[in-house]
Amino acid sequence: VEQIERSFMVSPLMTLHRYFMAANRMRECFRASLRPPTVWDSTNPIAAMASFLVMHADDYGIFMFYWYSSLHVVVEGYTTLRLSDPNIDALLASPLKNKLYDCRNGTFHFHKDYLNKKLLQFMADKDSIPWANQLTDAFGDFFLRELPKRHREQAQANPSTTPKPRP
């Protein structure tokens, strides 16, 4: 496996990009699953609660929580690799970063309560969706810029591993 990774010049950054692709795909699925809201009697608290509960079992809720949760995995990798980008770093200075972590834990760790507060804290913040979109876009820009640059640098440093063009 290591030899294959070396021959294809799979760097930790490229590995992190794989996680980003999954997060971004979940965002695309979330967006595609959105539909006009069902009109329900807002004066009826049972109907309002039912709509809220259904969100956790419907495509848009599932894709939303998986997008948020997989986006946090990208944040973890970015931090672990000690990467830096001014746009990403500014977004990660937000308190929403910790709420995103809790949301990831609320999604992927069992909790006895259906309306888990770890999920709800992130969603309750009015800035959470714009922030998650901005962070996802910032990571996309980062990878589009950095992957080719680092690939060139790695190829120059290790010319024997660079695939030769066919005649």
Side-chain angles (χ1 to χ4, degrees), residues 62-86:
I62 292 169
F63 290 135
M64 179 184 67
F65 288 123
Y66 274 60
W67 163 34
Y68 294 161
S69 300
S70 55
L71 180 58
H72 191 272
V73 174
V74 179
V75 170
E76 287 176 327
Y78 177 85
T79 304
T80 299
L81 295 175
R82 298 174 188 226
L83 299 170
S84 183
D85 174 84

Side-chain angles (χ1 to χ4, degrees), residues 44-156:
N44 181 342
I46 294 173
M49 187 58 149
S51 293
F52 185 71
L53 292 173
V54 166
M55 177 189 69
H56 293 274
D58 201 355
D59 284 352
Y60 74 93
I62 292 169
F63 290 135
M64 179 184 67
F65 288 123
Y66 274 60
W67 163 34
Y68 294 161
S69 300
S70 55
L71 180 58
H72 191 272
V73 174
V74 179
V75 170
E76 287 176 327
Y78 177 85
T79 304
T80 299
L81 295 175
R82 298 174 188 226
L83 299 170
S84 183
D85 174 84
N87 294 331
I88 294 171
D89 296 345
L91 288 162
L92 294 181
S94 166
L96 284 167
K97 177 186 172 190
N98 292 333
K99 291 179 182 180
L100 185 66
Y101 172 78
D102 288 341
C103 182
R104 192 277 315 262
N105 287 346
T107 300
F108 291 122
H109 297 282
F110 175 75
H111 297 272
K112 292 179 183 178
D113 49 330
Y114 191 85
L115 299 177
N116 183 299
K117 73 177 186 177
K118 289 186 176 201
L119 294 174
L120 301 181
Q121 285 176 344
F122 185 74
M123 291 176 49
D125 192 305
K126 67 178 177 49
D127 296 324
S128 63
I129 293 175
W131 181 84
N133 272 303
Q134 291 168 2
L135 184 58
T136 304
D137 290 341
F139 273 118
D141 294 343
F142 173 78
F143 286 116
L144 285 172
R145 183 184 66 251
E146 291 298 318
L147 278 174
K149 180 175 130 185
R150 296 195 185 194
H151 183 75
R152 281 191 304 276
E153 290 169 358
Q154 187 176 1
Q156 290 170 351

